[in-house]
């Protein structure tokens, strides 16, 4: 049976990815969830969706997810790219291997599934891709060196992608979360936020849901800060 709206969410066993899957299901999407633990499959079962246990660092696992989605529902309207956590160390102490791991976690996690769903969206004449990035893209922090470097690269990839595929009505945007309640809380981090609190994973999910909706049909190629005012564009 064909569904009107179908969303794929990667790395969605917990945290912001899981919150996004729940919100999209609430908004009427059929959801296909990838996670490296059984949590994604359990969540998909709860939401009446499709769950695959695998890694977004594996082209084979991602193909299994996309093929399963197409077999079950026949379309992909939204792709949400979440990710895990990459290596952290003083900038010159990060090894070559750790840099490559960071690229897999923070950049290739978007590129791999985007390669698979873009031809599907072209045939459908539309789709939306939303990448969960970080508030520190444009104001890099030494706390998260591999994240800042490769997610800055993701911003460039997003610009080139949108220039290439906007004519096919395929949109791509990045969500830039700050300190979110799925992370360990500290007073220092909370005090750095003008709103005076951690954000909620559900607030990130709400932003993703908006970018996936028809209300955001004229928004593409953007990096949207959702960080309580911690970083601000000039």
């Amino acid at each position: 049976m064909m569904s009107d709206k179908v969303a794929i969410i990667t790395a969605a066993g917990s945290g912001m990815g899981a919150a996004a899957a729940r919100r999209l299901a609430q908004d009427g999407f059929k959801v296909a969830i990838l996670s490296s633990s059984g949590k994604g499959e359990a969540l998909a079962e709860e939401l009446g969706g499709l769950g695959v246990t695998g890694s977004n660092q594996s082209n084979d696992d991602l193909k299994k997810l996309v093929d399963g989605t197409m077999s079950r529902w026949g379309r992909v309207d939204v792709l949400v790219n979440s990710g895990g956590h990459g290596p952290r160390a003083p900038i010159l102490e990060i090894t070559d291997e750790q840099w490559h791991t960071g690229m897999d976690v923070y950049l290739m996690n978007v590129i791999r599934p985007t390669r698979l769903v873009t031809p599907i969206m072209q045939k459908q004449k539309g789709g939306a891709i939303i990448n969960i990035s970080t508030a520190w893209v444009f104001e890099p922090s030494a706390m998260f060196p591999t994240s800042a470097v490769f997610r800055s690269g993701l911003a460039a990839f997003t610009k080139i992608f949108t220039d290439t595929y906007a004519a096919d009505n395929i949109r791509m945007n990045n969500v830039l979360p700050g300190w979110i309640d799925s992370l360990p809380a500290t007073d220092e981090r909370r005090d750095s936020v003008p709103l005076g609190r951690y954000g909620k994973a559900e607030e990130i999910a709400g932003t993703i849901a908006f970018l996936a909706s028809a209300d955001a049909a004229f928004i593409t190629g953007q990096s949207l800060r959702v960080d309580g005012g911690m970083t601000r564009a000039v």
Side-chain angles (χ1 to χ4, degrees):
M1 180 178 178
M2 300 280 283
S3 170
D4 288 336
K5 297 186 292 184
V6 178
I8 290 176
I9 309 98
T10 66
S14 60
M16 291 179 282
R22 290 184 183 279
R23 174 58 188 268
L24 290 170
Q26 177 185 321
D27 287 354
F29 283 85
K30 300 297 185 183
V31 294
I33 298 170
L34 179 76
S35 79
S36 58
S37 69
K39 292 179 181 178
E41 287 196 52
L43 178 59
E45 183 176 356
E46 174 191 332
L47 299 175
L50 170 69
V52 171
T53 296
S55 170
N56 59 8
Q57 297 181 35
S58 166
N59 285 309
D60 289 342
D61 290 347
L62 287 163
K63 188 174 187 303
K64 180 180 178 181
L65 175 71
V66 174
D67 287 350
T69 303
M70 291 298 290
S71 176
R72 185 160 177 176
W73 294 304
R75 60 186 299 113
V76 178
D77 298 282
V78 171
L79 168 64
V80 178
N81 291 308
S82 186
H85 300 285
R88 293 172 57 186
I91 190 74
L92 294 183
E93 295 178 18
I94 300 170
T95 66
D96 286 9
E97 183 180 36
Q98 288 174 318
W99 280 116
H100 284 289
T101 297
M103 183 173 70
D104 271 339
V105 170
Y106 295 124
L107 177 60
M108 295 306 297
N109 74 307
V110 170
I111 294 173
R112 290 189 186 100
T114 296
R115 285 193 194 116
L116 295 173
V117 304
T118 297
I120 295 168
M121 291 178 173
Q122 284 180 299
K123 289 179 182 177
Q124 295 169 180
K125 302 188 184 306
I129 301 172
I130 301 134
N131 308 315
I132 300 177
S133 184
T134 178
W136 290 273
V137 166
F138 303 114
E139 297 180 25
S141 168
M143 284 188 292
F144 308 108
T146 57
S147 171
V149 168
F150 290 112
R151 281 168 161 164
S152 294
L154 174 58
F157 174 83
T158 297
K159 173 60 176 170
I160 296 168
F161 179 89
T162 54
D163 286 349
T164 306
Y165 292 101
D168 293 310
N169 194 33
I170 302 173
R171 301 182 293 110
M172 178 181 281
N173 292 289
N174 299 323
V175 176
L176 311 185
W179 297 119
I180 302 300
D181 61 6
S182 56
L183 299 169
T186 69
D187 291 340
E188 181 182 5
R189 291 175 179 178
R190 185 181 298 106
D191 291 345
S192 71
V193 181
L195 281 178
R197 63 175 178 87
Y198 271 56
K200 299 175 183 177
E202 290 78 14
E203 291 171 322
I204 302 301
T207 304
I208 290 168
F210 165 67
L211 290 171
S213 74
D215 288 337
F218 202 51
I219 301 174
T220 193
Q222 303 303 311
S223 292
L224 180 58
R225 294 168 168 86
V226 191
D227 64 3
M230 189 175 58
T231 64
R232 292 176 287 277
V234 177

